[in-house]
Amino acid sequence: AQRVTQPEKLLSVFKGAPVELKCNYSYSGSPELFWYVQYSRQRLQLLLRHISRESIKGFTADLNKGETSFHLKKPFAQEEDSAMYYCALGGSNYKLTFGKGTLLTVNP
Amino acid sequence: GAVVSQHPSWVICKSGTSVKIECRSLDFQATTMFWYRQFPKQSLMLMATSNEGSKATYEQGVEKDKFLINHASLTLSTLTVTSAHPEDSSFYICSADAPGPLSYEQYFGPGTRLTVT
């Protein structure tokens, strides 16, 4: 069975501080992992995917197969980063399994 | 590009009635669409996978006779909640598989808030 765990429901940081949103997964195959973001009153949208190894809006995430983790990081948080972040795992039949999400609040 | 719309954005219906929610891919064709349910402050729960021209595949525990899914064209999938009850009240979100080779990337609709009174 595939599972995604985001241990923090809420995360609050100050502007300019580093931020790390944790994500651990359980999957027997070769995982494809994603971070989706939902800003207030907006739809869910893809932030980044591990396979492209890109940095979007200053965020990066590295897949660590040994620790089965895919933590999302940003060195200097901005107020506009405040949103709900979901880690997602791609499984069979191209279905996504989502974690429960972490609400990030960046305080001024 | 790659916009997914849902209609209606919110709906209130009485217990026992049925309500239909539409999901459209506006500027691309979607062979596969997905229907999710989201409870307040909780994650998205996949309900079913909708494939154009074939029967939907439902996740375990989802009543296929209650949540009827039809994917009649490459740009439209519908979810009908039949004989709705108050416990069906929720936020329903659809997504469409991104254009190009089949992948895990999905484009999400804005969601539909269903309230059953």
Side-chain angles (χ1 to χ4, degrees):
Chain A
Q2 56 192 71
R3 187 164 42 238
V4 176
T5 303
Q6 292 180 252
E8 304 138 329
K9 277 189 178 180
L10 305 169
L11 184 61
S12 183
V13 301
F14 285 102
K15 177 182 173 182
V19 63
E20 181 180 53
L21 291 88
K22 291 185 168 53
C23 171
N24 288 89
Y25 67 91
S26 173
Y27 185 56
S28 56
S30 184
E32 286 209 37
L33 286 145
F34 305 81
W35 278 98
Y36 278 82
V37 60
Q38 189 170 27
Y39 299 102
S40 179
R41 300 183 187 279
Q42 294 188 31
R43 69 188 67 194
L44 204 62
Q45 57 185 287
L46 179 66
L47 179 62
L48 54 79
R49 71 202 85 180
H50 93 269
I51 202 166
S52 55
R53 302 182 65 81
E54 57 201 343
S55 173
I56 303 293
K57 299 184 179 183
F59 284 98
T60 58
D62 290 318
L63 176 61
N64 185 324
K65 290 187 178 181
E67 296 182 358
T68 60
S69 69
F70 187 57
H71 303 327
L72 183 68
K73 299 177 184 179
K74 185 169 183 176
F76 308 103
Q78 302 299 313
E79 288 181 67
E80 55 265 30
D81 296 328
S82 295
M84 193 75 173
Y85 290 82
Y86 293 96
C87 182
L89 168 66
S92 60
N93 297 323
Y94 297 95
K95 293 187 286 190
L96 291 173
T97 299
F98 285 87
K100 293 189 175 182
T102 298
L103 180 62
L104 173 66
T105 302
V106 181
N107 300 297
Chain B
V3 177
V4 175
S5 71
Q6 281 183 244
H7 178 79
S9 54
W10 59 271
V11 58
I12 301 173
C13 70
K14 293 187 176 181
S15 288
T17 62
S18 296
V19 61
K20 181 186 284 187
I21 302 170
E22 293 186 349
C23 177
R24 292 181 186 272
S25 56
L26 295 186
D27 47 4
F28 67 103
Q29 293 182 331
T31 308
T32 304
M33 290 183 171
F34 302 87
W35 286 96
Y36 295 86
R37 186 171 177 176
Q38 186 177 34
F39 292 99
K41 298 185 180 180
Q42 293 193 35
S43 187
L44 286 79
M45 181 193 78
L46 180 65
M47 298 174 66
T49 303
S50 169
N51 293 294
E52 187 267 337
S54 63
K55 289 184 178 180
T57 305
Y58 291 82
E59 295 301 299
Q60 194 172 11
V62 177
E63 298 176 62
K64 61 181 180 181
D65 294 329
K66 180 166 189 63
F67 298 100
L68 300 179
I69 291 171
N70 183 276
H71 194 154
S73 77
L74 287 171
T75 59
L76 173 64
S77 176
T78 60
L79 167 68
T80 302
V81 183
T82 63
S83 187
H85 288 282
E87 55 264 32
D88 298 325
S89 298
S90 192
F91 197 56
Y92 292 88
I93 303 171
C94 74
S95 70
D97 185 50
L102 203 58
S103 72
Y104 291 103
E105 183 173 352
Q106 297 175 19
Y107 292 101
F108 285 81
T112 296
R113 171 80 56 197
L114 170 63
T115 302
V116 184
T117 61

